[in-house]
Amino acid sequence: DSNVSEAEPSQGISLDLDPELAEIFLEEAQEIVHNSGELLHRWETDVHNLDLVGELQRELHTLKGGARMAEINPIGDLAHELETLFELIVDQHFNATPDVIALCLNCHDALASMVDSVSEGSAIKSAGNLIAKVLAVIEASKGTSDAEESLEDDFEEQVPVQEVLLDEVDAPLDDANVTRFCSLLEEL
């Protein structure tokens, strides 16, 4: 993108923003940062409240859209990944752990700092490390979901217990058959 130039890593990313778009973005972004901060702290004490997570998801969706419109990609990128994470939690792909909540709080702090940087006209610090952490949580949740689906598929493919046991009814009751029967029960 021609509006973004990579500065020294310690200095962050300098943006050449349309002043009118930046002003519109900032009005909305500052309110979103405030609201989402309150929502995050409420969620921190009520982690099973998916309504709060749904509100967070909507706030991040709006922030992402505004950032994309104003061509502030670092904010849009982090907001997008955080929105995806909240979506997975709302859809109950996994439960939020204290580590996930801490990551969300860190992302919020980074977004607040980025919005402040835009307001001050200074370079935005990259959030690549936070994005990588969010992506890792997202991927891990997909792995959990895939594993659960695989277990469900395995369960559906099993032969009904009655069929297995009926085949064994005529077999003599010796130690080998008792052992086999016990192992079949353990597999269930």
Side-chain angles (χ1 to χ4, degrees), residues 91-168:
D91 292 344
Q92 299 183 359
H93 287 274
F94 69 98
N95 293 321
T97 63
D99 288 341
V100 169
I101 293 169
L103 175 61
C104 292
L105 289 167
N106 288 337
C107 289
H108 176 268
D109 292 347
L111 287 167
S113 176
M114 291 172 157
V115 169
D116 288 345
S117 294
V118 170
S119 178
E120 297 162 1
S122 57
I124 296 178
K125 291 184 181 176
S126 171
N129 61 335
L130 286 173
I131 290 173
K133 289 178 182 179
V134 172
L135 287 171
V137 171
I138 290 169
E139 285 305 309
S141 76
K142 289 179 181 177
T144 301
S145 178
D146 291 346
E148 289 170 358
E149 288 174 18
S150 175
L151 285 174
E152 290 171 8
D153 292 344
D154 288 347
F155 182 73
E156 290 170 4
E157 292 172 10
Q158 289 180 355
V159 177
V161 174
Q162 294 163 327
E163 287 180 31
V164 173
L165 296 179
L166 288 176
D167 289 344
E168 302 295 325

